[in-house]
Amino acid sequence: MIKAIKKPFAGLLVLIMVMSVLSACSGNSKTSSTEGVKQEMTMNAASGEPPSLDPALATDTTSGWILDHLYEGLYMKNKSGDSVKGLAKDVKVSKDKKVYTFKLRDDAKWSDGDPVKAQDFEYAWKHVLDPKTGSSFAFYMYYIKGAEAYNKGKGSVEDVGVKALDDKTLQVDLAAPIGFIEKLLSFWVYYPVKKETAEGSKNWAAEAKDYVSNGPYKLTEWKHNRSVVIEKNKNYYGKDDVKMEKVTWKMVNDATTYYQMYKSGELDLIQTLPSDVISQEKDNKEYKVTPYFGTYMYMFNVDKEPFNNQKVREAFNLAINRKMITDKITQAGEKPAQGFVPYGAEVGGKDFRKEKEQYFQEDVKKAKQLIKEAMKEEGWSKFPDTELKYNTLDSNKKIAEAVQEMLKKNLGVDVKLTNQEWKTYLDTTKQKNFQMARMGWIGIYVDPTPILDYYLGDSPNNRTNWVNPKYDKLLAQSKTEQNEQKRMELLHQAEDVLMKDLPFMPVYYYSNNYLTSSKFKGVVYPVNRYPYVRWAEKTE
């Protein structure tokens, strides 16, 4: 019931209402108007030059960071990190859940204005799978019928279950039903590529002048080893929702340098702060720590001494104080890793990692005994010369030095340290030219599967030379298992095999720390990607 207003108070009420409206308008104008503010942002890619901006060839988080701003697939990640329809406006699924028919948006265009067609998806996906392409991430498409056989040279491209039925209709046939197809299809390996551009220039993805993309941004400048610049794509169907007009990535490796650049206003967002400033920045409103679904580790080349012996690999794992590394060096909320799959993968309300948190604990006495046994088994009169490689980054250097000191103190083993720039480092490890090498692995979606896939025997990302048929079989079974509880059991069994053979040394489960200028709002921090700034807005 609305009561009548008594006349003596009517004038006062009207005055209050007018003042409230004026106050609200004034407040909105002050806080939300960004008129005249240049919507530009500068970030830092601490790892340096992105090795590739070709969706078929990119394998690292730096390249993926830029690609996720340049492209959009059938599905995309929203602000909450959920996979939602991107270029797919409609999808129909067969009763057996093996055949997906996607209808593309009518207004989907490339950055040069041409329409995005279903044929662009068919071309791109088959290009990833083509053995001649040499894509390290082709195995992420093995869920498609005929994909694995074609990629391994045992089948024909005509048998791959991807077909453009017309310009706006794409049909995808799966080898078996999977419950996470939307998550897969938002990953960069599933992005479309314009056929005419790719076939017109072999090096189309190496320079800005030849580059064509279909996402919220287009590549406008690439000064190799210095910077990458992207600008708003005026042909993107969702351009009205893109706030940030221009984004620049600098490429500064030294943490102290890029921290000073942030403090002086040259950079608006940095990640992986120098460890010696974290304590003083923790109370800063611009400081942020986020979970990151991945594992920091050292790979062992099991075909090279001393890591051809499992006891050496186990000894190295037992001789490391991970908590000291996370407490004293990284200091950003990382958790010591005594398994491979990080925390955060929940199925049926249960966290996969919490079901079995530790496969081992630090045990120097046992580690020393294992080294003695290994030397006797191999006939080594002295422990083989050992080298640890890492990619150039201040935090990597400090962790490697700590591990080097622990191995010397606890095992009497001298380890030589060497470092390389990121792009060179990836080539070196891909060629398996190492004994022990740093690596990080981030799940393309939050589930144990994309983590455990790293050590599949035929995965190009597995650079250790370790192959275990039982491990591969368990993972293969898990991918066709429809019962979630049974699927998790198979994945736990697979991790059991991995953690027994130990072709690697898990160090910690990632978290990310950032400083982001308070002049910006709307930056999204995904749990398995670097910050996404398409919705970011500069307020002053």
Side-chain angles (χ1 to χ4, degrees), residues 445-494:
Y445 55 95
V446 182
D447 188 89
T449 298
I451 297 293
L452 294 170
D453 273 350
Y454 187 88
Y455 285 109
L456 283 169
D458 61 356
S459 168
N461 304 293
N462 178 4
R463 300 167 184 198
T464 65
N465 288 311
W466 177 78
V467 179
N468 189 308
K470 184 178 180 182
Y471 182 80
D472 293 353
K473 183 179 180 181
L474 286 165
L475 282 180
Q477 289 174 338
S478 75
K479 290 171 184 176
T480 57
E481 177 56 63
Q482 299 301 301
N483 182 289
E484 278 295 87
Q485 184 177 344
K486 291 181 179 178
R487 185 173 78 90
M488 288 300 109
E489 289 173 2
L490 290 167
L491 292 173
H492 275 297
Q493 290 174 34

Side-chain angles (χ1 to χ4, degrees), residues 43-53 60-66 222-228 249-254 258 271 391-393 396 420-424 426 530:
M43 303 187 286
N44 186 52
S47 292
E49 175 83 352
S52 179
L53 292 183
D60 66 299
T61 48
T62 298
S63 300
W65 193 6
I66 299 170
W222 189 353
K223 295 180 180 178
H224 292 284
N225 297 302
R226 291 174 57 194
S227 63
V228 167
W249 281 270
K250 298 290 186 182
M251 301 173 192
V252 182
N253 293 134
D254 184 74
Y258 64 69
Q271 64 189 96
N391 60 293
T392 307
L393 198 64
N396 290 340
Q420 295 176 328
E421 295 302 316
W422 182 232
K423 190 173 183 178
T424 303
L426 284 179
Y530 289 151

Side-chain angles (χ1 to χ4, degrees), residues 435-447:
Q435 291 171 289
M436 179 179 180
R438 190 215 76 87
M439 189 54 69
W441 191 242
I442 312 300
I444 64 165
Y445 55 95
V446 182
D447 188 89

Side-chain angles (χ1 to χ4, degrees), residues 51-60 127-128 133-137 188-189:
S52 179
L53 292 183
D54 181 345
L57 299 177
T59 62
D60 66 299
H127 175 64
V128 170
T133 302
S135 173
S136 294
F137 277 3
W188 68 72
V189 78

Side-chain angles (χ1 to χ4, degrees), residues 129-284:
L129 292 167
D130 188 340
K132 295 178 183 177
T133 302
S135 173
S136 294
F137 277 3
F139 74 95
Y140 280 122
M141 288 190 168
Y142 286 0
Y143 300 98
I144 299 171
K145 183 179 179 181
E148 182 174 4
Y150 174 52
N151 184 243
K152 293 181 176 179
K154 300 177 182 178
S156 168
V157 66
E158 285 78 18
D159 296 329
V160 176
V162 181
K163 185 177 182 181
L165 302 183
D166 57 48
D167 286 355
K168 292 295 180 180
T169 309
L170 183 73
Q171 181 176 297
V172 180
D173 290 16
L174 300 178
I178 55 175
F180 44 85
I181 188 168
E182 296 88 353
K183 295 177 181 178
L184 273 178
L185 295 180
S186 66
F187 182 44
W188 68 72
V189 78
Y190 282 94
Y191 288 155
V193 168
K194 190 177 181 185
K195 182 178 180 180
E196 293 85 353
T197 299
E199 292 189 339
S201 172
K202 182 181 179 181
N203 297 316
W204 69 274
E207 304 291 341
K209 62 183 178 66
D210 298 320
Y211 207 87
V212 178
S213 59
N214 75 310
Y217 294 92
K218 61 181 180 180
L219 183 65
T220 56
E221 183 180 280
W222 189 353
K223 295 180 180 178
H224 292 284
N225 297 302
R226 291 174 57 194
S227 63
V228 167
V229 180
I230 61 174
E231 296 183 38
K232 187 174 178 178
N233 177 11
K234 304 300 182 182
N235 288 309
Y236 177 58
Y237 72 87
K239 60 183 180 294
D240 293 341
D241 193 37
V242 179
K243 306 295 185 183
M244 195 55 52
E245 295 278 345
K246 181 180 178 181
V247 182
T248 301
W249 281 270
K250 298 290 186 182
M251 301 173 192
V252 182
N253 293 134
D254 184 74
T256 301
T257 302
Y258 64 69
Y259 174 70
Q260 291 171 345
M261 290 173 70
Y262 177 84
K263 285 299 187 178
S264 67
E266 294 178 70
L267 292 171
D268 302 309
L269 186 154
I270 60 171
Q271 64 189 96
T272 315
L273 276 63
S275 56
D276 55 357
V277 306
I278 289 178
S279 59
Q280 70 191 52
E281 292 291 353
K282 279 187 174 178
D283 295 329
N284 185 345

Side-chain angles (χ1 to χ4, degrees), residues 4 87 310 438 459 476 534:
L87 292 196
Q310 188 274 343
R438 190 215 76 87
S459 168
R534 108 179 226 177

Side-chain angles (χ1 to χ4, degrees), residues 312 315-316 367-376 383 411:
V312 172
F316 271 47
K368 287 180 177 179
Q369 181 60 35
L370 287 168
I371 291 292
K372 288 181 181 178
E373 292 175 10
M375 291 185 69
K376 184 177 181 181
F383 197 79
L411 299 181

